[in-house]
Amino acid sequence: MRMRFILLLALASGCIPMTGCQHVKPWQRGALADPIMSADLDPVGTQQAEHVFFSREAASGGRGVGGGGCGCN
Amino acid sequence: MNRAGTQALKPEPQPAEPGCQHPAAALALAAALYLMQLNRAASQDHFDYRFENYQEDNGRMGVQTQTWLFEKTVKPWLTLRGQVVYDAISGNTPIGSPPPSQIKSPFPLPPPLSTSVPTAFLRDNRWAGEFEAALNYGPHHLTPQFSYSSEHDYLSYGAALNYSLDLNEKNTSLNLGWAHDWDSILPNGATYIFTKQHKNTDDILIGASQLLGPNTVLTFDFTFRNSSGYLNDPYRGVLFDDYPQGDPNHPSLFAERRPDYRECYIAYASVMQYIKALRGSAEGSYRFYADTFGIFAHTVGVAWHQKIGPRLVISPLFRYYEQSAADFYGTQFAGDPSNPYDTTRIPAYYSADYRLSHMETFTYGAEVSARVLSWLTLNLGFKRYEMMGLDGVTSPSAYAHASILTVGSRVWF
């Protein structure tokens, strides 16, 4: 039951991006092209921060897959 | 485990539609040309170096991490990315016992008894490497990745394959990912294992990024993970009530025992919003996590990226994390596993690893990034990381409080 709820939540949340948004034309992307809007602005910094959290907390992941394992947790 | 960032929608500008005869076409063309220039600046090849000093208070663990990363677009359809990480790890870490003054024992324990959790000194080095090739074919982006990590007590090989598909004039991006880690846990004089142990982990991701408007990007990912094999911490012990303690300040412990299979369900959502009037962007994220150990966790993160002048960006951040305890977590357990005549029932699984307890953590700090030359960006950051127990049982001395200093550079070439 709990897992079914989680899967439904995930599915419902996944549908959010498909609805209620404005179509953005290529020439309207000035702000989106700004480096401060990049999710990958500082990949090394993000990885190092995630590694600290991974080493100290029971939950991890969510932002992508890959990168390999380590013995810190 | 390092986790590569989710591939977001590429903010690549595209040329204006041909055949537009009205004045807006000229404006659009000018904007597109300007954006293409910006994009070229943002996607230049680069080499990054970053040093991080993670230091816990009171002589607990310290980790000095150095990371070297390169990214080079070899062909329009091929971008290579590789990185090497070196960790120097040393310091004191809790061994799994409660403070001697809090040990429940059928026998009286002689004072003086320490009020802090006992710790052991640990020293290790870690080398890790990662290599990936991003293959682009029209709206399709395929990225195979290989990774390696080596410590004197741990060895890991990893492979991953990420795929993303641009849809709807790049307003939508669908992301799929798979990763597998083959890990080996190696014995040494300080571990509770005497032979090499193995662990396998699979991650499967499905997600999407969506432009909600010209200033807003929404990302959503769902990850399923399963791990099997040796899932214990080989250094972490457990104290049993009925086992006689000779010196409670140096308690005798038993190896912890966790299930050998774990499933995790992770939902992650983030929003990035550009605020033109302030020349800044706001980033908010939420992560829900549940696993078959019985742990539920919530993570909320917010960051602000403020541009100051043409070269400087200041980014304050705050992150809050809260988790429930694993079903088999305790600070000490009833019985004595070594005594066959002890009638107290020993639980099937037990761990006193404080990282499996009901707790919360706070992270706050800021980073400054400056493009000092056209080919050089420098950054400097400082963060505090605070862990706090919420169960009222685990000793506050078990939880770490750390300062994190980072210094880095990016050379564009």
Side-chain angles (χ1 to χ4, degrees), chain B residues 66-247:
Chain B
Q66 297 185 75
T67 304
W68 299 264
L69 175 142
F70 79 89
E71 182 171 324
K72 179 163 181 59
T73 300
V74 181
K75 300 281 181 188
W77 53 270
L78 175 65
T79 299
L80 301 178
R81 184 159 157 169
Q83 73 170 32
V84 174
V85 179
Y86 174 72
D87 286 331
I89 307 157
S90 66
N92 293 299
T93 185
I95 56 174
S97 168
S101 62
Q102 292 176 16
I103 292 176
K104 289 175 279 181
S105 170
F107 315 104
L109 300 173
L113 298 171
S114 170
T115 55
S116 298
V117 292
T119 58
F121 185 78
L122 185 75
R123 185 190 296 278
D124 204 351
N125 297 310
R126 170 176 174 257
W127 281 101
E130 202 177 296
F131 180 78
E132 67 181 39
L135 307 162
N136 304 306
Y137 183 74
H140 307 277
H141 309 281
L142 187 68
T143 309
Q145 182 197 76
F146 300 95
S147 55
Y148 167 80
S149 175
S150 171
E151 297 161 73
H152 88 287
D153 56 2
Y154 205 91
L155 194 59
S156 175
Y157 296 94
L161 191 61
N162 282 286
Y163 169 75
S164 79
L165 173 65
D166 297 331
L167 297 168
N168 195 20
E169 285 190 312
K170 294 191 174 182
N171 275 242
T172 306
S173 171
L174 295 179
N175 305 309
L176 297 172
W178 164 83
H180 186 94
D181 296 334
W182 294 267
D183 294 357
S184 300
I185 301 97
L186 313 173
N188 63 54
T191 60
Y192 286 98
I193 56 173
F194 304 101
T195 57
K196 188 200 286 189
Q197 305 290 318
H198 299 281
K199 178 170 89 173
N200 283 282
T201 303
D202 277 292
D203 279 271
I204 296 169
L205 175 141
I206 178 166
S209 293
Q210 174 69 45
L211 301 185
L212 297 184
N215 297 314
T216 315
V217 185
L218 174 70
T219 301
F220 181 83
D221 291 320
F222 179 76
T223 308
F224 169 75
R225 178 187 305 150
N226 76 65
S227 306
S228 60
Y230 184 83
L231 304 184
N232 300 337
D233 184 326
Y235 294 97
R236 213 67 68 169
V238 167
L239 190 138
F240 280 91
D241 293 350
D242 295 345
Y243 186 79
Q245 298 293 336
D247 177 3

Side-chain angles (χ1 to χ4, degrees), chain A residues 56-60 73, chain B residues 262 289 295 321 323 355-356 359:
Chain A
R56 288 285 165 266
E57 299 166 359
S60 63
N73 191 347
Chain B
R262 184 183 194 183
Y289 172 97
I295 294 170
Y321 169 85
Q323 70 176 46
R355 298 173 301 179
L356 299 180
M359 66 172 190

Side-chain angles (χ1 to χ4, degrees), chain B residues 308-320:
Chain B
I308 297 175
R311 296 173 181 272
L312 203 65
V313 176
I314 295 181
S315 305
L317 65 88
F318 175 79
R319 176 183 182 271
Y320 175 74

Side-chain angles (χ1 to χ4, degrees), chain B residues 277-299:
Chain B
L278 299 175
R279 297 186 72 232
S281 69
E283 185 180 357
S285 65
Y286 170 74
R287 181 184 68 181
F288 172 79
Y289 172 97
D291 70 20
T292 52
F293 279 9
I295 294 170
F296 287 83
H298 305 274
T299 311

Side-chain angles (χ1 to χ4, degrees), chain A residues 2-3 17 23-24 29 32 34 36 40 42-43 47-48 54-58 61 63 66-69 71, chain B residues 1-2 6 11 50 56 67 81 83 145 151 156 169 171 210 265 281 287 296 307 319 323 355 361 385:
Chain A
R2 194 173 67 192
M3 287 305 127
H23 188 86
V24 181
R29 301 187 178 196
L32 298 169
D34 194 308
I36 63 171
D40 208 17
D42 182 9
Q47 273 200 357
Q48 288 184 345
F54 163 75
S55 304
R56 288 285 165 266
E57 299 166 359
R63 293 170 65 99
Chain B
M1 196 177 305
N2 292 324
T6 301
R50 189 175 174 110
E56 295 178 353
T67 304
R81 184 159 157 169
Q83 73 170 32
Q145 182 197 76
E151 297 161 73
S156 175
E169 285 190 312
N171 275 242
Q210 174 69 45
Y265 305 88
S281 69
R287 181 184 68 181
F296 287 83
K307 289 166 96 171
R319 176 183 182 271
Q323 70 176 46
R355 298 173 301 179
T361 74
Y385 181 64

